[in-house]
Amino acid sequence: MSGPAASFDDLRDLYQEVILDHGRKPRNHFRLEAFDASARGDNPMCGDRVELFIKMDGPRIGQASFLGRGCAISQASASLLTEAVPGLTPDEARALSARLREIAKTGARDDSTPALQRLSALSGVHEFPSRVKCATLAWHALEAALDGTKETSSE
Ligand code: ZN
């Protein structure tokens, strides 16, 4: 039983590394000069705030950025989001968001695409129900932005 346990720990360390890296050095952490959609997310339980900006390029998301503050998980998740959604249509981005929420809630990793593989770094939060909201906050904001609403709070 030590084999699988060891590799699970290795994976945990790798995931931890991804979250710490994105938490410390968030990607696309600025307000877009011009954007087509934006939304705020608020997770009062943890004090996390995220404001997301989306610029479209034709039918696809061209660029995504965010401003925010809060715990490493909430900021890492927002950072990962801004790298994952460019090139996707709004429907594809919604589908990715649904997968992310499932990963965070159930802990089931998804290695079917490189993007989902990276996002699976957030799978560990399912062990800590209060942190699931941290991980999904930016994604609720993404869906709100795509739906054209401005405010959302993580459920
Ligand atoms: Zn948090």
Side-chain angles (χ1 to χ4, degrees), residues 15 17 25 38 104 114 116 118-119 127 148 152 154:
Y15 284 174
E17 215 168 280
K25 292 179 294 184
S38 81
L116 283 167
R118 270 191 299 280
L119 293 172
E127 292 174 55
T152 182
S154 197

Side-chain angles (χ1 to χ4, degrees), residues 43 46 48 71 74 131 134:
N43 178 20
C46 184
D48 307 321
C71 69
S74 68
R131 308 316 294 275
C134 305

Side-chain angles (χ1 to χ4, degrees), residues 31 35-42 49-54 137 140-153:
R31 181 190 174 94
F35 52 88
D36 300 298
S38 81
R40 286 194 182 85
D42 191 10
R49 299 194 74 113
V50 166
E51 186 171 12
L52 198 66
F53 306 95
I54 301 286
L137 179 64
H140 283 289
L142 171 68
E143 293 182 28
L146 294 174
D147 291 345
T149 47
K150 296 291 179 195
E151 296 277 344
T152 182
S153 60

Side-chain angles (χ1 to χ4, degrees), residues 47-125:
D48 307 321
R49 299 194 74 113
V50 166
E51 186 171 12
L52 198 66
F53 306 95
I54 301 286
K55 186 166 172 50
M56 299 302 292
D57 180 9
R60 295 181 180 276
I61 294 171
Q63 205 180 353
S65 75
F66 80 105
L67 290 176
R69 59 173 192 274
C71 69
I73 289 170
S74 68
Q75 304 304 299
S77 183
S79 174
L80 286 161
L81 182 157
T82 63
E83 289 194 329
V85 298
L88 302 184
T89 64
D91 280 351
E92 289 168 345
R94 283 191 191 91
L96 185 65
S97 180
R99 288 295 296 131
L100 180 278
R101 279 187 276 117
E102 207 177 311
I103 288 167
K105 276 176 190 158
T106 66
R109 293 163 36 218
D110 188 334
D111 294 331
S112 58
T113 70
L116 283 167
Q117 205 168 17
R118 270 191 299 280
L119 293 172
S120 291
L122 295 160
S123 61
V125 300

